[in-house]
Amino acid sequence: MTRTTYGDNLVVTDRGGVVENTHEIHAAVTDADGRLLFYVGNPHRITLIRSAAKPMQALAVVETGGADQSSFDSVDLALMCASHSSEERHVQRARQMLVKVGATEDDLRCGGQPSITPQVTEGWWRDGVTPTAVYNCCSGKHAGMLAGAKALGAPLTDYHLHDHPIQQRVKRAVEEVARLPPSEIIWGIDGCNMPAPAYPLISLSHSYALFAKASSDLGRDAATTERERWMGRIYDAMARHPEQVGGDGRFCTMLMEAFEGRLIGKLGADACYAIGVKESEETRRLGARGALGLAVKVGDGNYSILYAVLAHLLEQLRIGSSGEREALKAFHELKMVNSVGVQTGTVNFQYKLHSVL
């Protein structure tokens, strides 16, 4: 039998020693200056970043004055950045945001859907709950968009369409934070019925490094622009309320809880992810000028592989203490088991993390 040779950007799973699946990995690690420090696969891969765009979308909303006019607090800001599990706390908070805006659930242009967490959906079945738009994992973002539309004096209807004034604000915010011209960003439609940008992973990594830098600058009372102050507040809202960004047992929540404000992380659908890490001795050791950004895409959209790769990359880069990374052990050490718990295979990290410096 001829042995197959694989590339250096794969995670390979086997069953009984036979290769069953190969998962293509692409990653970019940058600093706040936008310099590429490390990469896997193609760091310039054009990637639909999906819900990893939410901090930039939230930035567009707060810059309209809508968050302040609606008296949104830091929990509301966190939910605007969330792909939440539709737990009761998330649904109730989204409803409260609508009240603050002076809108109703009928104004939402996202549909109802099952929870990201299957156990939550099972609870709905038992209790006879039919999930409506407010149960959507993006309901916080949509409530925020309504606040932004209201602040602009624009119609609440059709706030989700690309040519609506609030979406044009989002477009500019994404372009400016990603430091890209409009011609280098492609727009699709996300699962929640709102425009979603696609651009290079290296730019996504840089964007998250800038959010981390903004938070650090707030803490140092450094000279910052109004935008940078808002970016710092968005970072802090996510870091302080990780339970709103994800939910019980979710990677986003457990990651941010473990690191206690030192980083933020956000999932994008179909296995895209971005992390922003505040400046520290760890980031400087890696050659970063200031804060650090990390963006990852798994080519086949496998979430389990994504979380395993993220945990593995944090270990390779030695970001965080062993105790902090231990909180992610269940995601890192994937167990290939069958229905009775018998191990049937292994997960092998065959990708290579290349250093640019």
Side-chain angles (χ1 to χ4, degrees), residues 138-280:
C138 301
S139 59
K141 176 178 76 172
H142 280 253
M145 292 293 170
L146 288 168
K150 184 176 181 180
L152 292 172
L156 298 190
T157 56
D158 300 332
Y159 68 84
H160 63 298
L161 297 181
H162 188 76
D163 59 356
H164 189 281
I166 188 60
Q167 295 305 328
Q168 289 301 300
R169 289 290 193 104
V170 168
K171 181 175 181 291
R172 288 199 297 274
V174 169
E175 292 164 359
E176 291 165 6
V177 174
R179 309 287 174 89
L180 291 171
S183 60
E184 293 187 25
I185 300 179
I186 304 166
W187 291 85
I189 302 297
D190 214 333
C192 70
N193 200 30
M194 199 177 288
Y199 55 84
L201 279 176
I202 187 173
S203 299
L204 176 60
S205 175
H206 185 202
S207 297
Y208 271 69
L210 291 174
F211 275 93
K213 177 181 183 298
S215 177
S216 294
D217 288 346
L218 280 180
R220 290 193 291 253
D221 294 323
T224 56
T225 65
E226 183 178 6
R227 165 164 286 179
E228 289 165 339
R229 288 192 291 275
W230 272 119
M231 291 174 70
R233 287 176 63 181
I234 289 167
Y235 176 107
D236 290 351
M238 294 176 67
R240 291 173 184 170
H241 308 287
E243 75 288 347
Q244 297 292 334
V245 179
D248 290 341
R250 294 276 303 283
F251 184 88
C252 289
T253 297
M254 295 180 69
L255 171 69
M256 289 188 282
E257 285 179 343
F259 280 80
E260 298 182 326
R262 295 172 57 204
L263 59 72
I264 59 168
K266 184 66 192 70
L267 172 68
D270 286 305
C272 172
Y273 206 94
I275 293 174
V277 186
K278 284 187 174 183
E279 180 181 0
S280 67

Side-chain angles (χ1 to χ4, degrees), residues 61 64-67 69-72 97-104 107 142-157 159 164-166:
V61 170
T64 67
Q69 290 177 25
S70 296
S71 300
F72 286 170
M97 291 174 68
L98 290 172
V99 170
K100 291 178 180 180
V101 174
T104 70
D107 293 312
H142 280 253
M145 292 293 170
L146 288 168
K150 184 176 181 180
L152 292 172
L156 298 190
T157 56
Y159 68 84
H164 189 281
I166 188 60

Side-chain angles (χ1 to χ4, degrees), residues 83-153:
S83 297
H84 60 70
S85 294
S86 310
E87 297 163 5
E88 187 63 21
R89 59 185 166 189
H90 304 132
V91 175
Q92 290 305 319
R93 175 60 64 160
R95 286 177 171 146
Q96 291 166 17
M97 291 174 68
L98 290 172
V99 170
K100 291 178 180 180
V101 174
T104 70
E105 188 173 352
D106 289 339
D107 293 312
L108 296 176
R109 294 295 178 261
C110 55
Q113 62 176 177
S115 170
I116 293 174
T117 302
Q119 293 87 341
V120 174
T121 303
E122 291 167 6
W124 296 344
W125 292 340
R126 290 192 302 269
D127 298 337
V129 173
T130 299
T132 55
V134 79
Y135 288 81
N136 190 291
C137 69
C138 301
S139 59
K141 176 178 76 172
H142 280 253
M145 292 293 170
L146 288 168
K150 184 176 181 180
L152 292 172

